[in-house]
Amino acid sequence: MGIKISPLEACEKMEKMKKIVSEIAYAHDFSKLSPLQRSIIPLLSISSSLYSLCLCIRLHLYSLRLFTQRRLPVPVISVGNLTWGGNGKTPMVEFISKWFCNSGICPLILSRGYAGGDEVKMLRRHLLGTVAKIGVGANRAVTAAWFLRKYGYTDSRVNGSLGNLLSEKKVDITSEKIAATILDDGMQHISLARDLDIVMVNGLTPWGNNQLVPLGPLRQPLSALRRVDIVVIHHADLVSEDNLVDLTLRIQEIKNGLPVFFSRMFPTHFLAVHDFHTKIPLSAVERRVLLCVSAIGSPNSFVNCVEKLGPLHVDQLHFSDHHMFRFKQDIGEMKRRLVKLQDRFGSSPIIVTTEKDYDRDHEVLLQLRPFEVLVLCSELQLVPRSQSSETSFKKLLKQLLDRSLGTPAQVKWSYSASD
């Protein structure tokens, strides 16, 4: 008889394996890893080589035009990354979408909706009340076709410059017709042609061990930066000046003259899980004992942000990116941590989590009562540094879009039966 494994045991094993692989991916000295981790490196290395081969073959087939790119009749801006998780892709998508909406331009956001769609839920909540539209599906061209048929579109190649429409001041009149498309996590989605490529880089952990997945965190080799128009180093406020300089030089060695900007997540307020309509000031956690709980790609940046708010003590409990909290196992562990903190400090601790974790499944967080659960709300900001700023970033986007739209489309758009 075979050994039966319960779903709970399977989840635990998967979580442990993700942690083991993640530690390998960000290790710069394999000799310091555990015997178990070193034993699986050869298997991961073989898998990484196969993945690299598949990437090369795929790109070559597109270069030979054996695979064809679909082109939309509206500008396409891709916001992506080279590594897994924690790079600020979705906050940048939101930043650009709000700018477009305030300029009277209706954007269509295309997302795959990966792992339960927590990022899509967050985008929908943040963009509620705007004309921005969000399409979810693995085939972005098919999803875009449905929205373009339903709402119509404005062809900037025919009707004038999109860059000239983008404004620093809010415009009251906004058309419902789609005028631009933003690809969330679009760097690897090369089947859809784009007019502008933005890549987000996590300044805290840029490339890990510089290896492709699963041996490392790279979803594409660093040479992919040669086909990028703009790089934004995220969490720049948490990185030393020397490291920012070194990272910028490394990026521009790969592509000379590649514009590099800098961003951070700026905390604005808290929301309570049991009452998500009332904003709570950041001062609510001053001199309080906190337990930071998250399942995101860059938990260190989240904790660093919380620590700057002046708490008495910060404990932390993290899971793999997009992990679904389980009622018994995970909530039980959180409560055990909270009880220990309460016994140690003599006061009731506060759980602080992220918006992504709330949007993934807020019902499970309600099980932490009577402990208070706060959700930290933040927004992406461009950090002024050297020649880069929010103003120069927007100016460059306008110029690049107009330059791209001034060239004839490589592939004509059509509504075919396959759409």
Side-chain angles (χ1 to χ4, degrees), residues 46-58 212-213 221:
I46 292 171
S47 301
S48 182
S49 297
L50 291 174
Y51 176 77
S52 177
L53 178 62
C54 290
L55 280 180
C56 291
I57 292 173
R58 183 168 179 250
L212 291 170
V213 294

Side-chain angles (χ1 to χ4, degrees), residues 120-314:
V120 170
K121 292 175 184 176
M122 186 173 70
L123 279 173
R124 283 179 173 149
R125 189 162 47 78
H126 286 188
L127 296 173
L128 186 67
T130 72
V131 293
K133 297 166 177 59
I134 303 176
V136 181
N139 191 323
R140 317 287 176 88
V142 170
T143 303
W146 186 88
F147 276 86
L148 293 168
R149 281 196 297 264
K150 181 176 181 180
Y151 296 100
Y153 63 88
T154 301
D155 190 343
S156 299
R157 295 180 178 87
V158 175
N159 297 331
S161 165
L162 179 67
N164 288 337
L165 298 175
L166 291 168
S167 171
E168 295 298 323
K169 297 180 180 180
K170 188 169 183 178
V171 176
D172 294 329
I173 301 174
T174 304
S175 171
E176 284 285 340
K177 289 185 176 181
I178 295 166
T181 299
I182 305 171
L183 275 177
D184 187 4
D185 195 10
M187 184 62 181
Q188 287 75 36
H189 193 77
I190 58 175
S191 60
L192 189 60
R194 68 285 313 280
D195 298 276
L196 181 62
D197 256 306
I198 300 172
V199 161
M200 305 295 294
V201 175
N202 186 343
L204 289 171
T205 52
W207 324 118
N209 59 16
N210 292 294
Q211 301 295 321
L212 291 170
V213 294
L215 180 60
L218 287 171
R219 300 163 70 189
Q220 285 188 297
L222 295 180
S223 59
L225 288 174
R226 292 171 189 151
R227 53 188 174 89
V228 168
D229 299 293
I230 296 173
V231 167
V232 179
I233 299 176
H234 195 44
H235 301 310
D237 58 320
L238 304 177
V239 182
S240 70
E241 178 66 20
D242 287 344
N243 286 343
L244 284 178
V245 170
D246 290 344
L247 182 53
T248 301
L249 291 174
R250 176 79 187 278
I251 290 168
Q252 293 182 333
E253 282 175 1
I254 297 169
K255 182 179 179 179
N256 186 35
L258 181 60
V260 177
F261 292 84
F262 307 86
S263 65
R264 66 167 180 166
M265 293 306 296
F266 179 72
T268 55
H269 61 278
F270 288 109
L271 294 173
V273 167
H274 65 277
D275 179 16
F276 216 64
H277 301 290
T278 304
K279 292 184 178 181
I280 300 171
L282 298 173
S283 59
V285 299
E286 289 180 1
R287 307 301 300 169
R288 296 294 301 272
V289 177
L290 308 180
L291 173 62
C292 288
V293 175
S294 69
I296 58 176
S298 184
N300 290 338
S301 61
F302 165 54
V303 174
N304 287 341
C305 182
V306 172
E307 288 176 335
K308 291 182 178 180
L309 301 179
L312 176 65
H313 176 81
V314 177

Side-chain angles (χ1 to χ4, degrees), residues 13-133:
K13 289 182 181 294
M14 181 60 70
E15 190 68 23
K16 289 179 180 177
M17 182 55 67
K18 286 181 179 179
K19 184 177 181 180
I20 288 171
V21 172
S22 180
E23 289 174 354
I24 294 172
Y26 288 99
H28 296 286
D29 185 356
F30 286 170
S31 66
K32 295 181 180 180
L33 296 172
S34 69
L36 173 60
Q37 289 172 321
R38 291 199 300 270
S39 70
I40 65 172
I41 286 176
L43 177 61
L44 295 177
S45 182
I46 292 171
S47 301
S48 182
S49 297
L50 291 174
Y51 176 77
S52 177
L53 178 62
C54 290
L55 280 180
C56 291
I57 292 173
R58 183 168 179 250
L59 286 172
H60 190 57
L61 291 174
Y62 272 103
S63 68
L64 294 175
R65 308 228 175 189
L66 296 176
F67 286 174
T68 57
Q69 285 187 316
R70 298 297 303 277
R71 182 172 288 278
L72 303 184
V74 296
V76 175
I77 301 171
S78 168
V79 180
N81 61 13
L82 298 186
T83 62
W84 62 43
N87 297 273
K89 296 186 313 296
T90 304
M92 177 56 77
V93 168
E94 179 185 335
F95 176 87
I96 295 173
S97 298
K98 286 182 175 179
W99 177 33
F100 276 42
C101 289
N102 290 338
S103 299
I105 297 169
C106 176
L108 167 63
I109 299 170
L110 295 175
S111 172
R112 185 180 179 184
Y114 177 74
D118 47 14
E119 293 166 344
V120 170
K121 292 175 184 176
M122 186 173 70
L123 279 173
R124 283 179 173 149
R125 189 162 47 78
H126 286 188
L127 296 173
L128 186 67
T130 72
V131 293
K133 297 166 177 59

